[in-house]
Amino acid sequence: RKQNLSFTQQELGYAVTPTSLHFPQVIAALQRERATLRVITQPVTVNLAGEKVECPRGTLLVLRQVNRDVWPAVQKSLQQCLSTMQVSVLPLTSSRTVEGPDLGSDTNLNLALAKPALLVGAGTNAYTAGSLWHHLDVRLSQPTTLINTIHLHQTDLDAYSVLILPDGGYDLWGKKQAEHLADYLEDGGVIIAICDSLSWLVDNEVLALNPREEDGAEQEAHEESEHEKTVNVKFPERRYGDARNDTALKAIAGAMFEVKVDSTHPLAYGFSDEIVPVFRRGTYHYPRPNNSYQTAAVYGPVAAGYVSEENARDLAGTPAVFVVPVGKGRVIVLADNPVFRGYMRATEPFFTNSLYLGPSIQLPKS
């Protein structure tokens, strides 16, 4: 059901709640009008014509005072959004709230103008890059620059708010590209690393992962002595002809996992539940960072599909969405493709939060 709202000159501004899949389209539309936007980081309750209305974390604030020069265009854009999208727009008549910080609070995040760049071409997974490009171009109408991997070292990355790395091996890259990405991050750039693209960044020392101290401790405790290994030697239980089936059983070709999100983390704004289903392909996984504030979501149990007990155990508790600070910038890791083939809608907020909020996130110290 579309919302009816009369736009007048009486409103202080508007609040747009983040729980609709159309929510990021509103951000993209308003930024095309060069609107100044803010996002609340603490839930608030506002008075709306005598009725108390709750605004969750991640609610977009579109305020008149900071948008005076473009206000007619902003109102027209919001009207168009309401006529074509399922979004909730609340008219605000006061910056005072019934509960929570006032709307002018410094706890709110300022949204930088999104100028994303997406890597495509040799070394990237075409399916992943294609689904990301479709989401940006078709779903969001978000202006995006495509950068071919072979031209990365010649590109001025400072022109972009985020650089998106799809899943891929990046085998054509070397030290020159690694140094270029490291300089971008050191100067305050933001990289969104999708699926296993993080492995290339780690292997080429663009960043280092700092696992928790307890990670791997149990392995040392269970190592067998040389004598035990000798005594327990047996003829291999698996036959040569079983190799193909064995490989298939060890793979994760496509399964649904539950992930538990920290609903207070900016990368997890907009979810109506703290358990989100994600689509997973591949057995790669990463250690949880020392600083727990870096992690927005962790893997839970298998929800559907085949996953071996070993793989399910290895993934449980590892981070699905997290941030790694590098210099003045950061790498945002989305361990699964959040817009897989255009039909994984539940996980879209992980990507759009990274896109629009990524440059503004402040990581508290552990």
Side-chain angles (χ1 to χ4, degrees):
R1 185 177 60 85
K2 292 182 174 61
Q3 178 184 357
N4 293 317
L5 180 65
S6 66
F7 289 82
T8 70
Q9 298 302 313
Q10 306 303 315
E11 288 91 10
L12 169 81
Y14 305 95
V16 187
T17 53
T19 51
S20 166
L21 286 173
H22 293 135
F23 175 72
Q25 291 177 252
V26 177
I27 297 178
L30 292 173
Q31 287 203 338
R32 287 196 295 273
E33 304 298 339
R34 293 297 189 266
T36 298
L37 307 174
R38 307 188 81 193
V39 164
I40 67 170
T41 64
Q42 301 293 332
V44 301
T45 301
V46 297
N47 190 326
L48 190 62
E51 180 183 356
K52 294 182 180 179
V53 179
E54 294 183 3
C55 298
R57 290 180 174 89
T59 295
L60 185 71
L61 294 180
V62 191
L63 303 179
R64 177 197 296 270
Q65 181 64 24
V66 292
N67 286 294
R68 285 176 297 179
D69 295 339
V70 294
W71 193 243
V74 165
Q75 287 188 310
K76 182 178 179 180
S77 181
L78 279 174
Q79 283 179 315
Q80 291 174 340
C81 289
L82 279 173
S83 67
T84 58
M85 306 173 193
Q86 295 289 345
V87 290
S88 175
V89 179
L90 309 176
L92 302 170
T93 56
S94 172
S95 61
R96 297 291 300 272
T97 61
V98 179
E99 295 178 13
D102 289 341
L103 300 183
S105 168
D106 60 4
T107 61
N108 299 333
L109 288 177
N110 294 314
L111 292 193
L113 180 65
K115 294 181 289 183
L118 172 66
L119 281 167
V120 296
T124 65
N125 182 302
Y127 288 109
T128 306
S131 62
L132 292 166
W133 171 232
H134 175 271
H135 187 73
L136 289 161
D137 186 48
V138 177
R139 287 244 165 93
L140 301 186
S141 297
Q142 170 63 56
T144 304
T145 300
L146 302 184
I147 300 176
N148 195 297
T149 52
I150 62 176
H151 300 311
L152 174 74
H153 64 287
Q154 303 168 330
T155 304
D156 179 13
L157 298 179
D158 292 335
Y160 305 106
S161 59
V162 298
L163 178 65
I164 305 166
L165 270 64
D167 190 23
Y170 299 93
D171 297 332
L172 299 179
W173 283 359
K175 183 177 180 181
K176 183 163 50 178
Q177 287 81 3
E179 290 177 347
H180 196 43
L181 292 174
D183 289 343
Y184 172 64
L185 290 168
E186 286 290 336
D187 291 341
V190 177
I191 290 177
I192 304 176
I194 309 291
C195 297
D196 201 23
S197 59
L198 179 66
S199 295
W200 191 92
L201 299 176
V202 174
D203 292 343
N204 290 272
E205 300 180 349
V206 177
L207 77 160
L209 295 181
N210 297 314
R212 293 187 174 186
E213 294 180 0
E214 63 266 24
D215 288 355
E218 294 182 2
Q219 180 180 350
E220 182 178 349
H222 288 87
E223 287 183 353
E224 295 179 316
S225 68
E226 290 300 319
H227 174 71
E228 289 173 325
K229 289 178 181 177
T230 304
V231 170
N232 293 328
V233 166
K234 297 179 182 179
F235 189 80
E237 296 179 359
R238 309 304 303 171
R239 301 193 306 161
Y240 181 89
D242 297 328
R244 183 171 181 176
N245 288 338
D246 289 346
T247 300
L249 290 172
K250 292 177 182 177
I252 301 179
M256 300 295 296
F257 276 78
E258 291 182 358
V259 299
K260 184 174 178 61
V261 302
D262 173 3
S263 60
T264 69
H265 199 290
L267 294 179
Y269 287 166
F271 291 111
S272 57
D273 200 331
E274 292 194 344
I275 301 296
V276 179
V278 302
F279 184 81
R280 148 67 59 148
R281 296 184 73 182
T283 59
Y284 59 88
H285 55 279
Y286 307 114
R288 288 180 71 172
N290 273 324
N291 182 351
S292 60
Y293 301 132
Q294 293 175 230
T295 303
V298 296
Y299 286 104
V302 179
Y306 170 78
V307 179
S308 70
E309 291 184 6
E310 179 183 2
N311 283 332
R313 184 173 61 250
D314 288 345
L315 271 172
T318 64
V321 178
F322 62 107
V323 187
V324 182
V326 183
K328 296 179 182 178
R330 69 216 62 167
V331 175
I332 299 173
V333 184
L334 308 181
D336 303 296
N337 182 357
V339 294
F340 181 76
R341 296 192 178 176
Y343 66 74
M344 275 306 300
R345 307 301 307 270
T347 46
E348 285 178 8
F350 287 138
F351 179 61
T352 48
N353 287 337
S354 302
L355 176 68
Y356 293 117
L357 297 178
S360 303
I361 294 175
Q362 299 295 323
L363 282 177
K365 293 183 179 180
S366 178

